[in-house]
Amino acid sequence: MYCVQCEQSNKGGCAVKVGSCGKSATVADMQDVLLRLMQGVSAYADRAAAKGARDEQVDAFTPHAWFTTLTNVNFDAGRFDALITQALAMRERAKACAIAAGADLSDLPEPATWNPGANAEEWAAAAPFAAIQRFMDRDGPSITGLRNLILYGLKGTAAYSEHARVLGHEEAAICAEFHRISAFLAADPTDMAALIAQSLAVGAMNLKVMELLDAANTTRFGHPEVTMVRMTPVAGKALLVSGHDMGDLEAILQQTQGKGINVYTHGELMPANAYPGLKKYAHLVGNYGGAWQDQQRDFDAFPGAIVMTSNCLINPEIKGYGDRIFTAGPVGWAGIPHLTDHDFAPAIACALAQPGFAADAPEQRVPAGFARNTVMGVADTLLDMIGKGDVKNLFLIGGCDGARPGRNYFHDLAVATPKDSLVLTLGCGKFRFNREDMGDIKGVPRVLDMGQCNDAFSAIQVAMAVAGALGCGVNDLPLHYAISWFEQKATAVLLTMLHLGIKKIHLGPTLPQFLTPEVLGVLVENFDIRPTGEAKEDLARMLEAA
């Protein structure tokens, strides 16, 4: 087992029997095999696309398969057996599509013809062939690190694509571009310039995917509205929904209506409380708990059923809630009931059987819903405040949270920002400071919660609109970035920001292990990426440059 895809990996990678996340060596091996096969699928799909052909089943399966390999998503070896079987079948479908289209199938990359076997035992034996260590030994850490930058960026983009796809939004051009970059990766490229160029291509594609997901969410649920979200429980039966999937949340709200169950969001689903199509359900009573890394404490204390809809699952067996948690979508843990086809009846029955909250807790609320439509709706006011000097600086502080020491940096930076500045935040990094009373500027809250991690799209749109209105470039704005990196969705967002030419991003609290000093040097030279240091020193440097 060797894994460096997220901040939980041990120094030098998880060369152990069990990863820090709880992933077993068996699951890690199966994920490596699945991804190598999926690159083979893309090799055929890319050549078919060049002839104007596609297989819709292949395109639908691809983001889901990639999504299951993200950090803290699926730990169930049995599910990966099924996924590998499907991947082998999808590779044959993609091949048949390419042949039917008259595509040239000469000079295929290794993953297109690789035979890993036909069962779990044979796949386990073949796993070293697909493992990162093989490529580290063969091509060195810098080339492998750049390929991993693309690989993990594709994982993040696949997750956002899947979120949009399950809401009925997908685009053939995006599917084709995903296959193109995946097929590029399948050839095990070694040219550093080409690898950097394709990393930025992932960022460009991810921008389109985030736009697609934004359209999927707002078409289905309306544009977020400024909403004071309750953060404390109320008396009654309770069901907690975690992850990112608002379609699952909607189905749960529909299926619990009139049953006397209060529904709570958790983690990255907190922004769902601001969408009109979801907040209309009176029994969506607010948010419970904080960021994903605190879930074992939060879930153990929650007196109801829990549904995990997407990434951020932590071992549910070591606490007392293993008999009342359910998974859905790409998520899996061996022995935990997995719900399919949006049928949440087992979780609802479990919620009714649990005691629920005995009494209301003291009310506490935080503002949410400052997505692009809301902010752009008051663009004139914002520009006027900037022009008059009421707002001198903007800070984008957020991203993925995590458990390692050093993440209080983002809290310390946020609360230290000058009173004449606004803080835009998104992702679960907001939980570090979103309950702090940081005041307002002429009635505008200083902390503007823009939503989930994929709502980086909103932040980007706002930044570009402000720059356009002021007649300057984005890098000329008094806008400063402090991004908390954790896993692959954050990698995709970072690549999008680099694609847009955004510079001077403070990234931390630790840098990805797959970015070797040589690769980091290239990124620093081209984009002035800055590892986070001491919050006060970084803040002083940001303000000096403004």
Side-chain angles (χ1 to χ4, degrees):
M1 178 177 182
Y2 186 89
C3 180
V4 292
Q5 72 175 3
C6 76
E7 199 195 31
Q8 289 180 113
S9 56
N10 299 322
K11 186 175 182 181
C14 291
V16 292
K17 292 182 179 179
V18 179
S20 302
C21 62
K23 180 170 62 178
S24 69
T26 298
V27 168
D29 287 347
M30 294 301 98
Q31 290 182 354
D32 288 343
V33 170
L34 176 62
L35 284 178
R36 194 68 173 166
L37 286 171
M38 292 308 301
Q39 290 170 44
V41 171
S42 289
Y44 289 114
D46 176 52
R47 298 194 185 196
K51 293 292 185 178
R54 65 181 292 227
D55 185 301
E56 293 185 1
Q57 289 190 39
V58 169
D59 286 351
F61 177 73
T62 296
H64 177 79
W66 280 75
F67 195 172
T68 62
T69 69
L70 264 73
T71 299
N72 291 59
V73 173
N74 199 322
F75 300 82
D76 188 344
R79 294 267 296 282
F80 281 103
D81 289 347
L83 284 164
I84 290 172
T85 299
Q86 286 180 275
L88 287 165
M90 290 297 166
R91 191 173 65 174
E92 290 304 308
R93 286 188 68 96
K95 180 180 179 180
C97 181
I99 292 172
D104 179 8
L105 297 187
S106 62
D107 194 27
L108 288 164
E110 186 179 81
T113 58
W114 177 46
N115 179 15
N119 55 54
E121 184 177 353
E122 292 177 348
W123 298 331
F129 190 84
I132 293 173
Q133 189 63 59
R134 175 197 174 204
F135 306 111
M136 290 278 285
D137 294 341
R138 189 183 72 185
D139 301 322
S142 291
I143 293 300
T144 305
L146 274 174
R147 291 207 296 250
N148 285 338
L149 181 62
I150 296 172
L151 182 75
Y152 302 148
L154 286 174
K155 285 191 179 193
T157 301
Y160 292 144
S161 294
E162 180 69 358
H163 287 314
R165 190 190 68 81
V166 297
L167 291 175
H169 285 242
E170 60 181 341
E171 291 183 3
I174 290 175
C175 296
E177 178 68 352
F178 191 97
H179 289 309
R180 186 194 67 77
I181 300 173
S182 177
F184 165 82
L185 204 58
D188 300 331
T190 57
D191 181 85
M192 185 169 286
L195 286 163
I196 292 172
Q198 292 308 311
S199 296
L200 298 181
V202 173
M205 175 178 61
N206 187 62
L207 179 62
K208 295 178 182 177
V209 170
M210 288 195 298
E211 182 178 12
L212 187 69
L213 178 53
D214 179 88
N217 286 334
T218 56
T219 300
R220 179 82 160 261
F221 309 115
H223 284 279
E225 304 167 339
V226 176
T227 303
M228 296 301 295
V229 180
R230 183 172 179 128
M231 302 294 284
T232 50
V234 298
K237 302 288 185 178
L239 196 157
L240 185 65
V241 189
S242 189
H244 298 70
D245 197 307
M246 290 195 286
D248 279 346
L249 175 61
E250 180 187 46
I252 288 170
L253 288 167
Q254 291 170 344
Q255 293 171 36
T256 51
Q257 201 161 19
K259 289 184 166 61
I261 298 173
N262 292 321
V263 176
Y264 299 80
T265 58
H266 173 267
E268 282 269 32
L269 267 177
M270 192 201 89
N273 289 273
Y275 283 83
L278 297 171
K279 63 186 287 187
K280 70 181 182 181
Y281 294 95
H283 61 300
L284 176 61
V285 295
N287 189 79
Y288 179 87
W292 70 272
Q293 75 273 5
D294 297 326
Q295 72 181 247
Q296 289 177 318
R297 179 195 65 200
D298 292 341
F299 290 2
D300 189 42
F302 187 77
I306 303 155
V307 176
M308 180 63 71
T309 68
S310 70
N311 48 313
C312 301
L313 176 66
I314 301 178
N315 186 349
E317 296 178 335
I318 64 175
K319 291 287 186 175
Y321 57 88
D323 60 344
R324 50 188 175 84
I325 186 171
F326 303 81
T327 61
V331 194
W333 190 280
I336 298 299
H338 184 71
L339 308 180
T340 59
D341 300 323
H342 293 286
D343 180 4
F344 295 98
I348 294 169
C350 179
L352 291 171
Q354 299 299 317
F357 290 99
D360 293 356
E363 186 171 334
Q364 181 182 14
R365 294 181 182 269
V366 300
F370 293 94
R372 62 178 176 85
N373 198 59
T374 299
V375 176
M376 297 300 287
V378 294
D380 290 343
T381 300
L382 178 60
L383 291 170
D384 184 62
M385 293 169 70
I386 294 174
K388 290 181 178 178
D390 296 322
V391 174
K392 290 188 171 64
N393 288 274
L394 301 167
F395 294 84
L396 177 59
I397 305 175
C400 304
D401 205 356
R404 280 196 175 185
R407 288 186 173 271
N408 280 337
Y409 168 93
F410 299 97
H411 167 274
D412 297 344
L413 179 67
V415 299
T417 54
K419 302 299 183 184
D420 57 3
S421 62
L422 297 176
V423 176
L424 313 179
T425 189
L426 44 81
C428 56
K430 69 169 132 286
F431 288 106
R432 290 281 169 174
F433 54 85
N434 70 339
R435 298 195 194 203
E436 297 280 0
D437 183 3
M438 292 171 56
D440 65 83
I441 302 176
K442 292 189 172 180
V444 177
R446 285 195 54 231
V447 177
L448 304 179
D449 184 350
M450 305 197 81
Q452 298 180 327
C453 54
N454 56 279
D455 289 310
F457 176 75
S458 281
I460 289 167
Q461 294 302 306
V462 168
M464 293 177 70
V466 171
L470 296 177
C472 64
V474 174
N475 289 314
D476 299 319
L477 290 173
L479 174 58
H480 317 285
Y481 308 89
I483 306 299
S484 53
W485 173 81
F486 180 78
E487 45 88 349
Q488 299 85 71
K489 285 184 174 180
T491 301
V493 172
L494 174 64
L495 291 176
T496 293
M497 296 175 76
L498 299 185
H499 154 70
L500 292 169
I502 295 173
K503 297 185 176 182
K504 299 180 181 179
I505 300 169
H506 286 73
L507 183 67
T510 59
L511 293 177
Q513 291 185 37
F514 52 84
L515 293 184
T516 66
E518 181 182 10
V519 174
L520 182 60
V522 172
L523 296 180
V524 169
E525 179 182 354
N526 287 279
F527 304 103
D528 201 8
I529 284 184
R530 301 174 175 186
T532 55
E534 293 295 324
K536 289 184 178 179
E537 293 177 5
D538 286 352
L539 178 59
R541 181 167 57 176
M542 293 174 187
L543 294 175
E544 183 180 349

